[in-house]
Amino acid sequence: MGPLVARFARAGQRLRQADRARPWVLDTAVVVLVLLMFCLPDLLHHGGAVDGDADDRHRFRFAFTQLPLAAVLALQAGLVLPLLWRRRRPLAAFGAIAAVFVLQWSLDAVLRADVALFVALYSLALHGQLRRLPWACAVMAAGMVLVAVRVSPAVSVWDALFFLLSTATAALAVGLMVRTRRAQLAGLRERAARLETERDQRIRLATATERARVAREMHDIVGHNLSVIITLADAGAYATDTAPERGKEALQLIGDTGRTALGELRRVLGVLREASDGVRRAPELSPQPGLADIETLCDGVRTAGLEIVYRTVGEVDALDRGMQLTVYRIVQEALTNTLKHAGAGTQVNLTVVVGDERLVIRIRDNGPAGPAGPRNEEGHGLVGMRERAALYGGTVSAGPAADGGWAVQAVLDLTPQGGTR
């Protein structure tokens, strides 16, 4: 039973596709079918091909007028041909057929082609405007009353009305049912398309967010460590002639810094790497740096020549890992900028204050803030710090200090969001 249903479903789908490509084919097929099934028997009957016609009419006491063949052909054409535009102009097709229908019964003639009126009502319910449907139903009911009165010599008026109105109601109900079903399917298709679009948008947004996050991580890792390596290399080259042991120490520090940077790069790139079989595996990652690693960061920068005084205020260990990573990266970027623009020998005061509702990071140095240190330019570093702070509803400000040097201050919001910390 299943394969048979599937075969019919595929056939119906192919039929709908063909109908969308050439709608006139189905309209013509309906007209031809009505002509063969309902018009041709009347023509054969009119020519006397059916025996016993007079006996049947006498038995049922039908006193119908025998119209000329030309009149029969004209009425049949008026009833059937409007079906050609039953889907494009359903109301006009129904009106034309109803007019011919009333004319035919006014002439006291009966034709099997009257079934076209029910087809037109079905098409109007399926394709027409629903606000026009009550008027069509009223016209249909009036036509059925006319038929019931005309056949009253043979059939009870109420029996005829019951049969005719039941047939009209069935045609109307089937049309409305198919219309409702098509509307539901169209709604489902539209919803599926909308969900697919939303899914693609979420994927693109997630991809852009991930690329921005990775770009920030790469900038923080590469920018900081390269700044330290360059400073150590310059110091080692200067000390090679005067103090070879200091040059050797600088080279060792360069190697340690390079290995640290390489490890962090592998950790970040491991998130993006996929296995050769196409299955993404979770990389074995070391923990992201936090507040406990700031002291190690300061030690590395001190070897490059900065004099850093670092202190914390409040319960720094109570912060979540995401907040600690944000603080670490902001401090890392600020110290990198100080090393890059102020140079070795600069004194830096670094303070992290954790309060009840906010966290404040202050980095202040005594280096140059003028042309020798153009740190007020909007580079990727300052933009990255502001983006990280914005994740926690915070702000970052940077500029020359009042008594000389350069100051960076970041304020992060510690209040719970959405009821969770």
Side-chain angles (χ1 to χ4, degrees), residues 327 330-331 350-352 359-363 408-412:
V327 174
I330 291 176
V331 171
L350 169 61
T351 306
V352 178
L359 181 149
V360 181
I361 307 169
R362 297 188 183 94
I363 305 101
V408 176
Q409 177 171 297
V411 181
L412 307 181

Side-chain angles (χ1 to χ4, degrees), residues 305-309 335 338 342-350 363-368 375 404-406:
L306 292 184
E307 299 177 9
I308 303 177
V309 178
L335 294 180
T338 300
T346 304
Q347 295 180 354
V348 181
N349 290 317
L350 169 61
I363 305 101
R364 183 172 178 178
D365 61 61
N366 62 353
R375 286 174 285 170
W406 191 265

Side-chain angles (χ1 to χ4, degrees), residues 106-129:
S106 300
L107 297 175
D108 201 15
V110 59
L111 295 174
R112 292 181 176 89
D114 290 339
V115 72
L117 185 63
F118 298 101
V119 177
L121 181 63
Y122 160 82
S123 300
L124 180 61
L126 178 58
H127 304 288
Q129 299 179 1

Side-chain angles (χ1 to χ4, degrees), residues 145 235 238 249 266 304 358 383-384:
V145 170
Y238 177 78
E249 181 182 356
R266 285 175 175 172
R358 66 177 189 169
V383 173

Side-chain angles (χ1 to χ4, degrees), residues 45 55 59 84 87 93 96 117 128 131 135 160 171 203 226 271 300 361 370 416:
H45 175 86
D55 295 338
R59 189 186 339 168
L84 288 172
R87 292 192 291 181
L117 185 63
R131 58 188 180 88
W135 297 100
I203 291 175
L226 282 181
V271 179
I361 307 169

Side-chain angles (χ1 to χ4, degrees), residues 164-179:
L164 294 172
L165 292 179
S166 298
T167 306
T169 302
L172 181 66
V174 172
L176 291 176
M177 180 186 67
V178 175
R179 183 189 189 113

Side-chain angles (χ1 to χ4, degrees), residues 39-51 53 66-69 72:
C39 295
L40 187 59
D42 279 339
L43 295 177
L44 296 177
H45 175 86
H46 188 277
V50 179
D51 296 331
D53 176 70
Q66 184 73 17
L67 296 177
L69 180 60
V72 173

